[in-house]
Amino acid sequence: MSTFSAKPAEIEKKWVMIDADGLVVGRLASIVALRLRGKHLPTFTPHVDCGDNVIIINAAKAVLTGGKREKKVYHYHTGFIGGIKERSAKAIMAGRFPQRVVEKAVERMLPRGPLGRRQLGNLRVYAGPDHPHAAQNPEQLDIAAMNRKNARSA
């Protein structure tokens, strides 16, 4: 027996759509990161982008558990001396781009480097229910049904 190693020409990418309405952000991000890497496939190869294309809709309706909505802080730097800034998750979710909370959660679960950046390019996150990828016929993935802890009602 020899170890199977997939080649980029042999990879068949699927399109998967996830509705994030009421889903817990961290649990959603871990499942999405697994799908983007391709670790759910028996033909997973660590050095090849063999994951699916993932579409997340209703990202603005994803929930953070516990006190994370008020206490979780995102840092960024302006590029100037002493220019470190911070925003809470509550401020980001109430702002113009609430989908960034989900994007950052997934991004931080992927490996750092050229392959991780390419895999992150297969993720599309939309704050509302509309998306422009209907022509790809994405398969619906129900994450709330996988585990009762994946979804929060209140």
Side-chain angles (χ1 to χ4, degrees), residues 3-6 11 14 37-46 50 52:
T3 304
F4 176 78
S5 184
I11 304 298
K14 290 185 353 187
R37 289 205 64 200
K39 292 192 94 171
H40 65 291
L41 298 170
T43 58
F44 170 68
T45 308
C50 55
D52 296 337

Side-chain angles (χ1 to χ4, degrees), residues 25-84:
V25 171
R27 288 173 168 271
L28 168 67
S30 65
I31 292 168
V32 170
L34 186 96
R35 286 270 173 171
L36 287 172
R37 289 205 64 200
K39 292 192 94 171
H40 65 291
L41 298 170
T43 58
F44 170 68
T45 308
H47 63 277
V48 177
D49 179 15
C50 55
D52 296 337
N53 291 292
V54 180
I55 304 163
I56 300 176
I57 58 171
N58 291 323
K61 296 179 183 174
V63 292
L64 292 161
T65 58
K68 289 187 208 81
R69 190 168 171 85
E70 284 78 24
K71 293 179 185 172
K72 186 167 181 59
V73 177
Y74 292 89
H75 297 277
Y76 66 98
H77 200 283
T78 62
F80 290 96
I81 297 168
I84 191 140

